[in-house]
Amino acid sequence: MSTAHSDDQTPTLFRDDYHDKFSPVSYLSYYWGSERVQQDWFQFHLDGGYKYFRHEGISGTRLLDLGCGPNIGSMIGAPEHFTHIVMADFSQANLDVIKSWMRGDDVNFSWSHVCQYYLKKYALDPAFESTRLHSLKSYIKDIVQCDVLQSEPLGPSYTGFFDCVFSSFCLETASRDIDTYRRSVLNVASLLRDGGHLVMRGACGEHCYPVGGKNFHTLALTPSHLTTALTDAGFKVKELQIEGVDDPDDVDVNKIHGFCVLAQKVGL
């Protein structure tokens, strides 16, 4: 989202507006369209997720894509050992798009360009696109609504811990202030087993992002906000990458920078 330019005159919408004002079609076209693969920020986020998913400490079968939106693009790069994947989002309309893809309906969107990027970048098997999309449909076991501001983000009836939680541009869009953001990170930690990992992508310094001519709120984070929230929630930050910056302490807070972080739940 970090390369998008919003109109300052357009009113900012917040999380409850995702139910009736967020367009999954516009989002997919703008943020996941085939032309994005050529852009550095898009590659930064794809590569960060791909790399962190394959960190030597990550194991297990249960993976949660928290705040998945209407897309399966991030899960295309997940390792094959995650054979129990749960897709979760606040917006039912977003989840309906994924359900349509799972059924084989025509959703008027192709993930071929994302598959081809991984295939070429990481010298994968030429059959990667067809085999990965096929296996992903069998590995996605549940598609559920979530609310990261609740102490039980998947609801009280959902039981069992995850080996890994992936979240991309989610917590900062749900949180209107830093205290709320910190609580949301704590809520996410409750979904992981002890020793489990969080792979998270987002942006620092971003106030809102456009979708279909509407501006949606996102909390303007700093690297310090991010790492402090993780540490206070019982995580150990194992790796942190900031787009275009070698040292997180050198980030210009007046500019937008993408981030990718890998953290392990070690307890409070």
Side-chain angles (χ1 to χ4, degrees), residues 15-36:
R15 72 189 210 108
D16 287 341
D17 295 310
Y18 280 83
H19 292 307
D20 60 357
K21 296 182 176 65
F22 184 88
S23 169
V25 173
S26 296
Y27 172 83
L28 285 174
S29 175
Y30 190 81
Y31 290 103
W32 283 90
S34 58
E35 70 281 357
R36 289 295 190 188

Side-chain angles (χ1 to χ4, degrees), residues 82-265:
F82 288 119
T83 56
H84 186 115
I85 297 175
V86 175
M87 310 293 287
D89 198 78
F90 186 66
S91 164
Q92 185 60 53
N94 284 339
L95 298 177
D96 287 344
V97 173
I98 297 176
K99 289 178 180 179
S100 293
W101 176 81
M102 290 283 290
R103 290 194 300 264
D105 297 345
D106 182 8
V107 295
N108 197 29
F109 191 85
S110 171
W111 293 104
S112 178
H113 57 288
V114 176
C115 294
Q116 290 301 312
Y117 175 79
Y118 285 128
L119 190 156
K120 295 174 182 177
K121 178 68 180 284
Y122 299 102
L124 304 179
D125 188 289
F128 172 76
E129 179 176 344
S130 60
T131 58
R132 181 54 183 161
L133 293 179
H134 177 75
S135 66
L136 195 55
K137 285 189 176 182
S138 66
Y139 294 163
I140 294 176
K141 304 299 185 184
D142 210 352
I143 301 172
V144 299
Q145 280 192 284
C146 68
D147 185 349
V148 297
L149 301 191
Q150 299 299 315
S151 59
E152 297 174 303
L154 301 184
S157 63
Y158 211 96
T159 59
F161 296 107
F162 291 90
D163 299 300
C164 182
V165 171
F166 172 84
S167 190
S168 183
F169 293 91
C170 173
L171 306 189
E172 59 267 43
T173 62
S175 305
R176 296 184 70 157
D177 54 57
I178 294 301
D179 286 343
T180 304
Y181 180 81
R182 294 175 68 175
R183 287 195 298 272
S184 73
V185 176
L186 192 62
N187 295 338
V188 172
S190 72
L191 298 169
L192 280 165
R193 64 170 173 81
D194 291 340
H197 287 80
L198 172 66
V199 177
M200 191 158 62
R201 303 187 307 211
C204 294
E206 189 170 36
H207 294 273
C208 60
Y209 71 101
V211 176
K214 300 179 177 69
N215 284 345
F216 286 84
H217 160 83
T218 181
L219 184 65
L221 298 172
T222 67
S224 178
H225 289 148
L226 174 64
T227 55
T228 299
L230 288 168
T231 301
D232 289 349
F235 286 101
K236 177 182 178 181
V237 177
K238 303 182 80 169
E239 292 192 40
L240 171 62
Q241 289 182 298
I242 305 291
E243 180 187 15
V245 178
D246 293 330
D247 185 348
D249 292 333
D250 293 336
V251 168
D252 184 343
V253 296
N254 296 311
K255 294 182 179 179
I256 298 174
H257 296 273
F259 72 78
C260 293
V261 64
L262 171 66
Q264 184 175 24
K265 182 179 177 180

Side-chain angles (χ1 to χ4, degrees), residues 3-72:
T3 62
H5 298 285
S6 59
D7 180 358
D8 292 337
Q9 302 304 312
T10 303
T12 300
L13 302 177
F14 294 90
R15 72 189 210 108
D16 287 341
D17 295 310
Y18 280 83
H19 292 307
D20 60 357
K21 296 182 176 65
F22 184 88
S23 169
V25 173
S26 296
Y27 172 83
L28 285 174
S29 175
Y30 190 81
Y31 290 103
W32 283 90
S34 58
E35 70 281 357
R36 289 295 190 188
V37 174
Q38 307 304 319
Q39 298 180 354
D40 290 343
W41 78 271
F42 191 83
Q43 295 180 12
F44 170 81
H45 286 291
L46 285 185
D47 291 342
Y50 189 91
K51 171 187 174 184
Y52 288 166
F53 271 137
R54 285 157 180 79
H55 189 275
E56 62 182 3
I58 292 184
S59 61
T61 61
R62 289 175 55 82
L63 170 63
L64 171 65
D65 188 347
L66 186 65
C68 58
N71 81 85
I72 52 108

